[in-house]
Amino acid sequence: MTIALLFITLFVCLLIGVPIAISLGVSSLVAIYFGSTLPLSIITQKAFTSLDSFPLLAIPFFMLAGILMGKGGVSKRLLDLATTLVGWMTGGLAMVTIVACMFFAAISGSGPATVAAIGGFMIPAMVARKYDGGFAAAISASAGSIGVIIPPSIPFVLYGVIGGVSVGNMFLAGIIPGVLIGIGLMITAYFIANKRGYKPSETEVFKFMDVLKATNDAKWALLIPVIILGGIYGGIFSPTEAAVVAVVYAFIIGKFVYKELTWEDSFKSFREAVVINATTMIIIGLSVSFAYFMTLEQVPNQIAAFLTDFSSNPFVILLAINLLLLIVGMFIDTISALVILTPILLPVVMAVGVDPVHFGVILVANLAIGFITPPLGVNLFVASSVGNVRFEKIVVSILPFLLSMIICLLVITYIPALSLWLPNLLGK
């Protein structure tokens, strides 16, 4: 009855539009008050103590670094490089959008930030070239999801903290799956563009010298992931310290090298990062309280027992978990889902021999798909806003890209080497 009360209250709150953080807190409050002898203060205690974590400091710093890079001219130079690389192809602007999102993913760590930074440029550009507005926004929204898979990734930081998994290994594990999803989206975009006649202009041809020039112009931006990952695996700094280094580097490049970051932009970047991080920390804190109460009620053990009784075959277990996560991603944001589900599902998959690093990639890739699935679909709303495209048009246009991402997810799920090769080669 207590567990039923917990989940019924949660779903009622979500259905009537209560913010996810408040929904988690209220459902925990109701379940504890009516179904247990625990003091209500346990909610606030767990919420605050959960945030007393040094690795979690990486989240606000990576957020700030991504915002500074977007305002400091980094995204523009990455777009120019992507244009020289793939702008000459059929559906060239769509290809540019996907490649630019992959580049920006390697410096932002956030899906919505990637959509805002790249989609803000590319959606109007595609519409001006007679691309369908829904298609243009759908490309930006789906490619922006790669922002949480290619490192640095804020969800990977959180998963590493909760699951006791090396954040550095999680960063390495996300590289190949992130590139795979990007290629899958490019193939999908090519066939749609070819069918609709989205051809590049006659002036857009591949020139090696243009690529070299664009690479030189973007060299300071391209060094960011090298510095972050190189510093971590060279033992120079931890992932949290790497986030601070990224902020300092982004500020120096934007202010003194590209000279596009004003003091006003810097102030706005800090303010934006504070607001976003405040929201994120509230969600994390109350999610931990919710997860703690479920643990006390042995919900993870019951779910683990149910799944292992259902089947001991890793193939079947992972398929069932993928279906569950795809549904969860439609209704619950990534941060909350990670905090709640990691303690429940990680013991289950480890019991059937799944590597925790590999499972982390599966978990985050599933929740990345949640960025483009209504009703939550954060990336869809961001793309609609920055591109001034009706939400309904984007939802229709996103379907082939959603299918492409699900196919890539299944490939990632059942070919563990895609996630584990780099961690096994370079990880610690």
Side-chain angles (χ1 to χ4, degrees):
M1 282 297 296
T2 303
I3 296 303
L5 192 60
L6 180 74
F7 283 101
I8 289 172
T9 306
L10 175 63
F11 288 126
V12 168
C13 288
L14 292 175
L15 285 174
I16 62 176
V18 178
I20 181 66
I22 306 303
S23 298
L24 292 167
V26 169
S27 57
S28 301
L29 181 72
V30 170
I32 290 174
Y33 184 79
F34 291 104
S36 80
T37 58
L38 291 172
L40 294 179
S41 60
I42 195 71
I43 298 175
T44 52
Q45 288 173 6
K46 285 295 173 183
F48 277 97
T49 56
S50 67
L51 301 179
D52 185 16
S53 169
F54 180 72
L56 282 181
L57 284 173
I59 293 177
F61 283 112
F62 275 130
M63 285 180 180
L64 178 57
I67 296 169
L68 287 171
M69 292 168 195
K71 295 182 183 296
V74 170
S75 54
K76 179 179 181 299
R77 285 159 179 82
L78 293 177
L79 275 172
D80 291 342
L81 175 58
T83 301
T84 63
L85 288 171
V86 295
W88 52 273
M89 300 172 65
T90 297
L93 292 182
M95 301 299 178
V96 168
T97 302
I98 296 170
V99 173
C101 283
M102 292 170 70
F103 283 150
F104 198 79
I107 60 177
S108 73
S110 167
T114 303
V115 178
I118 304 301
F121 285 102
M122 293 307 301
I123 296 174
M126 283 188 273
V127 171
R129 288 280 297 274
K130 308 302 181 184
Y131 283 61
D132 176 72
F135 173 79
I139 279 281
S140 300
S142 54
S145 300
I146 304 173
V148 297
I149 302 174
I150 294 179
S153 162
I154 291 171
F156 279 160
V157 173
L158 190 56
Y159 173 81
V161 173
I162 298 168
V165 181
S166 165
V167 174
N169 282 346
M170 290 308 307
F171 282 0
L172 282 176
I175 295 174
I176 295 176
V179 172
L180 173 67
I181 292 173
I183 292 172
L185 293 176
M186 290 179 72
I187 292 171
T188 305
Y190 174 83
F191 282 111
I192 295 174
N194 189 55
K195 182 179 179 180
R196 297 184 180 180
Y198 296 151
K199 304 293 183 182
S201 69
E202 295 179 0
T203 59
E204 291 175 346
V205 294
F206 180 82
K207 294 180 180 179
F208 185 68
M209 292 306 297
D210 288 346
V211 174
L212 288 180
K213 182 179 182 301
T215 303
N216 183 62
D217 290 342
K219 61 181 180 293
W220 297 109
L222 296 174
L223 276 175
I224 295 171
V226 176
I227 291 172
I228 292 172
L229 296 178
I232 293 172
Y233 295 105
I236 301 171
F237 38 68
S238 69
T240 302
E241 293 162 342
V244 179
V245 170
V247 170
V248 175
Y249 184 87
F251 177 79
I252 292 173
I253 295 305
K255 181 66 178 176
F256 301 109
V257 178
Y258 293 154
K259 298 180 180 179
E260 294 185 19
L261 186 68
T262 65
W263 290 111
E264 182 181 359
D265 288 335
S266 301
F267 174 76
K268 289 180 179 178
S269 298
F270 276 86
R271 184 175 60 187
E272 185 176 343
V274 167
V275 172
I276 296 173
N277 185 63
T279 304
T280 302
M281 291 300 116
I282 291 172
I283 292 173
I284 291 175
L286 292 173
S287 295
V288 169
S289 298
F290 184 90
Y292 174 75
F293 184 71
M294 285 200 303
T295 302
L296 287 181
E297 296 294 323
Q298 298 188 342
V299 174
N301 294 339
Q302 294 173 28
I303 294 176
F306 171 77
L307 287 174
T308 51
D309 288 344
F310 174 71
S311 175
S312 59
N313 187 328
F315 184 96
V316 176
I317 293 286
L318 288 175
L319 181 61
I321 288 175
N322 275 329
L323 290 173
L324 169 66
L325 292 173
L326 288 172
I327 294 171
V328 167
M330 296 171 63
F331 300 98
I332 301 179
D333 70 278
T334 302
I335 300 297
S336 302
L338 276 171
V339 175
I340 296 169
L341 295 177
T342 299
I344 296 175
L345 298 178
L346 187 55
V348 176
V349 297
M350 290 180 67
V352 295
V354 177
D355 188 282
V357 172
H358 177 216
F359 180 67
V361 175
I362 296 172
L363 180 58
V364 173
N366 266 287
L367 297 176
I369 294 174
F371 280 118
I372 60 169
T373 50
L376 189 61
V378 177
N379 282 11
L380 300 179
F381 289 102
V382 175
S384 174
S385 176
V386 300
N388 195 27
V389 180
R390 286 192 300 112
F391 182 80
E392 296 80 3
K393 288 192 66 175
I394 307 176
V395 171
V396 173
S397 299
I398 204 73
L399 294 178
F401 299 104
L402 177 61
L403 177 60
S404 174
M405 291 187 71
I406 292 175
I407 292 171
C408 290
L409 169 65
L410 293 175
V411 172
I412 293 165
T413 299
Y414 295 115
I415 306 180
L418 292 172
S419 304
L420 298 179
W421 182 69
L422 281 176
N424 290 338
L425 181 68
L426 303 173
K428 297 179 180 179

